[in-house]
Amino acid sequence: MHKYSGETRILVATDCIIFGFDGANIKLLLVQRGLEPEKNKWSLIGGFIKPTESPEDAANRVLELRTGLKNVYMEQFQVFGKPGRDPVERTLSIAYFALIDIHQYEAQLSEEYHPEWFLLDEMPDLIFDHNEMVRLAKRQLRYKAALHPILFQLLPEKFTIPQLQALYEGVYQTKFDDRNFSRKLLSTGLLVKLPEKDKLSSKKGAFYYKLDQSHYEENFEKFLNLVPNPDKFF
Amino acid sequence: MHKYSGETRILVATDCIIFGFDGANIKLLLVQRGLEPEKNKWSLIGGFIKPTESPEDAANRVLELRTGLKNVYMEQFQVFGKPGRDPVERTLSIAYFALIDIHQYEAQLSEEYHPEWFLLDEMPDLIFDHNEMVRLAKRQLRYKAALHPILFQLLPEKFTIPQLQALYEGVYQTKFDDRNFSRKLLSTGLLVKLPEKDKLSSKKGAFYYKLDQSHYEENFEKFLNLVPNPDKFF
DNA sequence: TAAAATAGTTGTCCAAAGTACACTAAATAA
DNA sequence: TTATTTAGTGTACTTTGGACAACTATTTTA
């Protein structure tokens, strides 16, 4: 089974930084660690890679196991591998980040592991180097969202322009000009206007939009500029 | 020593996609694999992680061991971890990409492992999934170089504007307008003009420039736009 | 019925950046 | 001295980005 001789095999885990949006705030999904050391301390959702699965498969399996979540937008983020990062044993972690619409997945959240959503500025201290992972993932989210339309992954299928703007404003912790924002947004051609309105959040009501899926996929790699002066936020 | 029980430890390697520039062409540094299977077939520079070193340390150690190269610009790129990617044994590879000035490091290249530089379009077939790694790294290079001034890492300390332009044209396989290119470039404030000229490549001679190092480091994260319509190249 | 709140459109002004192309400058070679 | 080659600047036009004003529309509440 060990065919390359003289080399050391090490434990490899995946950890997932899960960003969610509930329509008003951006949150992070955490669980309480189930084993010693640091049992019951808060942590990212993670677990070890099995011999027959790819890291992507592992990340998805662990995510479903611990939270019940499936078919979630996820991308490989970064490897954390300093010796000593896990005090128990040398462990390498492949970090992923995921973006989800909190309401859409609310029902699925696992009873067994009771994961909880935390506001970004009300987060508990995390185990190991997970605080650092989160810090870097937040930065990465701002970076990538300034270039590509990934934040749509945080919204329900139908959403309003004010909702989308609130989301961007949450990510960048700033206000954008409504008029310029909606003008830019509509000019991308990414959105399809629906006949219905959302009447909950305002008196007038805001029209729902959905993504033009094929246009979205074709243009995902193209640069977008919904965020003014993005580099000042990193 | 194994403290988390019931989990499988796996081999972890680093592989490095090393881009070099010799003043005219972009090349890739490859070595011939020293062990079975696929012995003597061309491969990226890689090796296994030792128990006490971080992945970054491993990548640097392996790079120095196999090529003699030290203090090279390197960044973490992507993990390749599909089971079966190495037919011998499950191996996970953390891929890095490195950028170097070929002439600067020419003397250091290891005799023992005789690595060789290949033009991108004259590359031999590589072992395992290394062809795919190279394909993705080329794409990543184009992506990142469109946003940040990383290509300077491929040039000697003193370089001319025409050299730099040739480099960009090599990366994007296209021609840029000389006049606009140099004007954009100089307006970044990244360059310091030197009193000497390079008289080798032209009659008039082109002034040497060097990087304003502190300005470079401060602005590394800022977006730059030396490449017109960058997204058409991905 | 009027005031208030939010959604959404349009327009204007200004600055900065992108692009095309003509031109000048410096050195060498014939 | 003149032609040639390559380096680098200038100029004119267009496009885009961003700040902000004005106005309309729709519904609720006082």
Side-chain angles (χ1 to χ4, degrees):
Chain A
M1 175 147 170
H2 285 189
K3 308 240 185 91
Y4 288 112
S5 60
E7 303 296 341
T8 306
R9 279 103 193 133
I10 56 188
L11 268 180
V12 181
T14 62
D15 284 298
C16 197
I17 298 106
I18 304 167
F19 293 100
F21 185 65
D22 62 8
N25 291 105
I26 295 158
K27 296 179 176 175
L28 209 66
L29 191 63
L30 301 173
V31 290
Q32 280 178 293
R33 182 169 162 94
L35 68 172
E36 293 295 348
E38 312 234 42
K39 191 169 173 177
N40 296 325
K41 201 168 166 185
W42 290 96
S43 117
L44 295 171
I45 280 89
F48 297 113
I49 295 188
K50 303 285 180 200
T52 59
E53 68 188 355
S54 67
E56 283 71 23
D57 291 343
N60 280 295
R61 175 183 53 76
V62 168
L63 184 61
E64 186 179 356
L65 172 71
R66 300 295 199 84
T67 66
L69 302 178
K70 252 170 135 170
N71 300 320
V72 155
Y73 175 87
M74 200 188 288
E75 58 177 83
Q76 203 188 100
F77 169 46
Q78 202 182 308
V79 175
F80 293 82
K82 276 211 270 293
R85 54 172 293 282
D86 181 331
V88 179
E89 177 180 345
R90 175 87 201 260
T91 305
L92 205 134
S93 171
I94 308 176
Y96 287 80
F97 81 84
L99 303 178
I100 72 178
D101 165 25
I102 291 180
H103 296 312
Q104 189 183 345
Y105 290 97
E106 215 155 32
Q108 291 185 33
L109 278 187
S110 158
E111 288 299 312
E112 191 178 348
Y113 294 92
H114 46 272
E116 277 181 37
W117 289 106
F118 287 87
L119 285 169
L120 291 182
D121 48 11
E122 293 178 4
M123 276 177 42
D125 190 40
L126 306 180
I127 61 163
F128 303 168
D129 52 0
H130 288 196
N131 293 305
E132 177 69 357
M133 290 184 182
V134 170
R135 190 181 68 78
L136 292 172
K138 279 156 65 178
R139 187 189 160 93
Q140 173 67 10
L141 179 64
R142 279 198 290 267
Y143 184 89
K144 183 140 188 185
L147 298 169
H148 304 288
I150 53 172
L151 295 187
F152 292 93
Q153 302 295 338
L154 289 157
L155 291 169
E157 192 143 346
K158 298 187 306 184
F159 53 87
T160 66
I161 292 181
Q163 274 167 24
L164 182 59
Q165 183 169 347
L167 171 53
Y168 271 87
E169 292 179 343
V171 170
Y172 294 98
Q173 289 293 296
T174 190
K175 291 281 170 201
F176 300 123
D177 186 288
D178 331 21
R179 302 158 289 195
N180 292 335
F181 187 84
S182 73
R183 200 185 349 218
K184 275 192 198 175
L185 186 59
L186 293 172
S187 77
T188 62
L190 284 170
L191 299 190
V192 178
K193 192 175 193 165
L194 299 175
E196 321 138 65
K197 276 188 166 186
D198 165 38
K199 306 291 272 293
L200 298 172
S201 59
S202 80
K203 293 173 181 174
K204 178 180 173 184
F207 278 103
Y208 280 116
Y209 287 81
K210 65 171 177 139
L211 273 182
D212 177 336
Q213 201 60 39
S214 65
H215 193 292
Y216 179 68
E217 280 157 27
E218 277 164 31
N219 293 68
F220 187 78
E221 308 254 303
K222 299 267 159 60
F223 292 126
L224 203 65
N225 182 19
L226 296 173
V227 182
N229 305 316
D231 40 17
K232 82 175 179 215
F233 296 107
F234 307 146
Chain B
M1 175 147 170
H2 285 189
K3 308 237 185 95
Y4 287 112
S5 60
E7 303 296 341
T8 307
R9 278 102 192 134
I10 55 188
L11 267 180
V12 181
T14 62
D15 285 299
C16 197
I17 298 106
I18 305 167
F19 293 101
F21 185 65
D22 63 7
N25 291 104
I26 295 157
K27 296 180 177 175
L28 209 65
L29 191 63
L30 301 173
V31 289
Q32 280 179 293
R33 182 169 161 95
L35 69 171
E36 293 295 349
E38 312 232 44
K39 190 168 174 178
N40 295 325
K41 201 168 166 186
W42 291 96
S43 116
L44 295 170
I45 279 89
F48 297 112
I49 295 189
K50 304 284 178 200
T52 59
E53 67 188 355
S54 68
E56 284 69 27
D57 290 344
N60 280 295
R61 175 183 53 77
V62 168
L63 184 61
E64 186 180 355
L65 172 72
R66 301 293 200 83
T67 67
L69 302 177
K70 251 169 136 169
N71 300 319
V72 155
Y73 175 86
M74 200 188 288
E75 59 177 83
Q76 203 189 102
F77 169 45
Q78 203 182 307
V79 175
F80 293 81
K82 277 210 270 295
R85 54 173 294 281
D86 182 330
V88 178
E89 178 180 344
R90 175 88 201 261
T91 305
L92 204 135
S93 171
I94 308 175
Y96 286 80
F97 81 84
L99 302 178
I100 71 178
D101 164 25
I102 291 182
H103 296 313
Q104 189 183 344
Y105 289 97
E106 216 155 33
Q108 291 184 34
L109 278 187
S110 157
E111 288 299 312
E112 191 178 349
Y113 294 92
H114 47 272
E116 278 180 38
W117 289 106
F118 287 87
L119 285 168
L120 291 181
D121 49 10
E122 293 178 4
M123 275 176 42
D125 189 41
L126 306 180
I127 62 165
F128 304 167
D129 53 359
H130 288 196
N131 293 304
E132 177 68 358
M133 289 183 182
V134 170
R135 190 181 69 78
L136 292 172
K138 279 156 65 178
R139 186 189 162 93
Q140 173 67 9
L141 179 65
R142 279 198 291 267
Y143 184 89
K144 182 138 189 185
L147 298 169
H148 303 288
I150 54 171
L151 295 187
F152 292 94
Q153 302 294 340
L154 289 157
L155 290 169
E157 191 143 346
K158 297 187 306 184
F159 54 87
T160 66
I161 293 180
Q163 275 168 25
L164 182 59
Q165 183 169 347
L167 170 54
Y168 271 86
E169 292 179 341
V171 169
Y172 294 97
Q173 290 293 297
T174 190
K175 292 279 169 201
F176 299 122
D177 186 290
D178 331 21
R179 302 159 288 197
N180 293 334
F181 187 85
S182 73
R183 198 150 29 79
K184 273 192 199 174
L185 186 59
L186 293 172
S187 77
T188 62
L190 285 170
L191 299 190
V192 179
K193 192 174 192 164
L194 299 176
E196 320 137 65
K197 276 187 166 188
D198 165 39
K199 304 293 271 293
L200 297 172
S201 58
S202 80
K203 294 174 180 171
K204 179 178 174 186
F207 279 104
Y208 280 115
Y209 287 81
K210 65 172 177 137
L211 273 182
D212 178 336
Q213 201 62 39
S214 65
H215 193 291
Y216 179 68
E217 280 157 27
E218 277 165 31
N219 292 67
F220 187 79
E221 309 254 302
K222 300 266 160 59
F223 292 125
L224 203 64
N225 183 17
L226 296 172
V227 182
N229 304 315
D231 40 17
K232 82 175 178 214
F233 296 107
F234 306 146

